[in-house]
């Protein structure tokens, strides 16, 4: 019998953001990080779509077997949360839940445009700030988030 993983706390999510900071992020870096995510997802036979945006430009996209056009819609909605709040989509949703409400109830944003569900993580450059987002969609939100974090940790050599 498998059990769902324990969701990370707001403090754990904030620590991930403090730790997973890049020195730079080039087009080649987007390809390397995206390819790493594809490799990790294929190893797990994860039916995901993967997207990397920087400064409004899509630098990487892959749709693995089992993913659907709905995953691309989720990617866009989760990425918009990162772009608006400058934090991981899962962290934004978790902060609302910690206050006893939900993003959908309290953000006053259109849920067809924004989704504070796990899977989109800010691309933060040291001394610059958030420049984009890396996003995965296709698994339960905690697993989408964990896949992105694992890839960033490996990419950064942690």
């Amino acid at each position: 019998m498998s059990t769902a993983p324990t969701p990370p706390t707001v403090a754990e999510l904030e620590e991930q953001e403090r730790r997973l900071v890049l020195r730079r992020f080039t087009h080649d870096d987007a390809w390397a990080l995206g390819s790493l995510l594809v490799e990790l997802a294929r190893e797990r036979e994860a039916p995901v779509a993967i997207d990397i945006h920087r400064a409004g430009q899509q630098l990487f996209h892959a749709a693995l077997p089992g993913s659907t056009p709905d995953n691309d819609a989720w990617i866009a909605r989760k990425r918009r949360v990162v772009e608006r709040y400058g934090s991981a989509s899962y962290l934004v949703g978790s902060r609302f839940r910690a206050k006893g409400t939900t993003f959908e109830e309290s953000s006053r944003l259109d849920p067809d445009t924004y989704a504070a569900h796990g899977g989109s993580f800010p691309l933060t450059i040291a001394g610059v700030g958030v420049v984009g987002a890396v996003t995965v969609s296709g698994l339960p939100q905690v697993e989408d988030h964990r896949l992105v974090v694992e890839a960033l940790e490996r990419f950064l050599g942690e």
Side-chain angles (χ1 to χ4, degrees):
M1 181 173 134
S2 72
T3 58
T6 304
T9 65
V10 168
E12 289 168 334
L13 294 165
E14 290 171 343
E15 186 277 329
Q16 289 171 348
E17 286 192 2
R18 280 190 297 276
R19 184 169 46 85
L20 299 174
V21 174
L22 306 152
R23 288 176 298 158
R24 62 162 207 226
F25 198 75
T26 67
H27 287 73
D28 289 338
D29 292 328
W31 179 260
L33 177 58
S35 298
L36 175 58
L37 272 162
V38 167
E39 180 184 323
L40 292 172
R42 284 193 189 280
E43 286 172 4
R44 296 159 195 190
E45 299 179 356
V48 297
I50 299 161
D51 178 90
I52 299 176
H53 265 71
R54 186 193 68 196
Q57 182 182 19
Q58 184 179 51
L59 300 182
F60 185 93
H61 183 83
L64 291 149
S67 65
T68 70
D70 284 345
N71 297 122
D72 292 330
W74 275 98
I75 282 171
R77 292 168 59 217
K78 292 191 275 190
R79 186 186 73 246
R80 285 186 199 107
V81 168
V82 172
E83 291 167 349
R84 185 173 185 110
Y85 289 86
S87 290
S89 54
Y90 194 69
L91 174 56
V92 172
S94 295
R95 285 176 173 153
F96 278 93
R97 287 187 295 277
K99 293 176 186 172
T101 185
T102 66
F103 177 81
E104 294 78 12
E105 291 169 354
S106 299
S107 72
R108 301 180 59 132
L109 296 172
D110 182 354
D112 290 334
T113 305
Y114 296 90
H117 291 257
S120 192
F121 201 92
L123 294 169
T124 305
I125 297 176
V128 176
V130 176
V131 298
V134 52
T135 311
V136 168
S137 176
L139 302 169
Q141 66 172 328
V142 174
E143 293 176 41
D144 278 347
H145 176 81
R146 286 202 168 118
L147 183 58
V148 171
V149 168
E150 180 181 345
L152 281 167
E153 287 171 344
R154 287 190 187 193
F155 182 75
L156 289 166
E158 290 192 6

